[in-house]
Amino acid sequence: MPDYTLETELGARDNRQIIGLDEAGRGPWAGPVVAAAVWISPADLAEPSLQHLNDSKKLTAQRRASLSTAIRERCRFGIGQASVSEIDQLNILQASLLAMQRAVAALDFLPDGAIVDGLHAPELHCPHRALARADGLSVSVAAASILAKVTRDRLMEQLDETCPGYHWNRNRGYGTAAHRKALERLGPSRYHRRSFRPIQELVSRLENKTVTS
């Protein structure tokens, strides 16, 4: 289970505000990438509603939703995102780092340090550590992973209402069989990442059909 070791190593016990940074949505074929920055104070560690913080992928949807509410109520946080057009222009890695920068910028304070999930970190004006699977090591990063995941899932549910037919309320933009069949039937929407190979291949097939028909 994640704990407070990494935060302590960066000085969290000395009243330094060490945030966790994580993103959600690097793999889907559609929708933005969303990042969250979360500061959990030492006092918050004893809060019962935050006792089950973990990597968002290891939690049920119900537990994620409950923890997301607790994080928003108890912790200081920022949310950032990068749009589909930015993903296509920059590539998904750079767009994810941009979303993280925006999440930090959305905080109402300047952090003293940051723990970033993954091997790459955005440019930050504070000391930071980038670690693979940090969402399973740091409670702050775990909280950020939960907040980013729940925020993005709800955003994809809203997009499903705006642009129905692709089952985003269930697949969240990932390349499921149902999503693929919908793409074959409807073609890509303005929310699809056209720089991603499956979407590129589909567009190419559709264009070839148009030419030969």
Side-chain angles (χ1 to χ4, degrees):
M1 290 287 290
D3 59 28
Y4 212 58
T5 300
L6 293 174
E7 288 85 346
T8 300
E9 290 175 357
L10 286 175
R13 296 294 185 186
D14 301 318
N15 295 319
R16 292 171 61 82
Q17 296 171 311
I18 309 301
I19 63 170
L21 265 176
D22 202 359
E23 50 71 30
R26 286 185 61 169
W29 295 351
V33 59
V34 175
V38 179
W39 176 56
I40 299 178
S41 72
D44 289 332
L45 295 177
E47 172 62 31
S49 62
L50 297 175
Q51 291 303 298
H52 300 286
L53 288 170
N54 203 346
D55 173 2
S56 64
K57 296 183 293 296
K58 297 179 180 179
L59 301 171
T60 64
Q62 183 177 3
R63 178 57 62 83
R64 281 196 302 267
S66 175
L67 284 167
S68 176
T69 298
I71 292 163
R72 287 178 175 272
E73 291 176 348
R74 297 287 309 184
C75 305
R76 296 167 76 177
F77 66 90
I79 302 290
Q81 62 177 277
S83 67
V84 170
S85 61
E86 289 171 325
I87 292 170
D88 288 340
Q89 291 168 11
L90 299 173
N91 74 45
I92 186 58
L93 172 59
Q94 295 304 317
S96 297
L97 298 179
L98 177 60
M100 287 185 182
Q101 285 181 317
R102 289 171 174 168
V104 174
L107 292 168
D108 61 359
F109 67 98
L110 295 176
D112 298 308
I115 305 164
V116 184
D117 184 58
L119 299 178
H120 304 276
E123 291 187 13
L124 300 173
H125 298 294
C126 65
H128 54 274
R129 292 180 63 180
L131 293 171
R133 300 184 180 88
D135 49 4
L137 301 173
S138 156
V139 289
S140 303
V141 179
S145 77
I146 292 166
L147 197 54
K149 168 68 173 168
V150 172
T151 300
R152 187 180 186 278
D153 283 356
R154 290 173 178 171
L155 190 153
M156 293 307 296
E157 291 170 5
Q158 293 170 8
L159 288 184
D160 184 68
E161 295 178 1
T162 301
C163 187
Y166 299 97
H167 312 289
W168 291 334
N169 59 330
R170 296 197 296 273
N171 62 48
R172 314 305 188 194
Y174 283 89
T176 64
H179 191 177
R180 186 181 295 274
K181 288 180 181 178
L183 273 166
E184 295 284 354
R185 185 177 73 256
L186 302 172
S189 73
R190 67 183 185 276
Y191 300 111
H192 280 95
R193 303 173 181 181
R194 293 173 184 262
S195 59
F196 277 37
R197 181 170 295 175
I199 308 303
Q200 289 179 339
E201 292 174 349
L202 174 64
V203 170
S204 178
R205 290 200 303 274
L206 292 175
E207 289 176 346
N208 288 337
K209 285 182 180 178
T210 301
V211 171
T212 56
S213 60

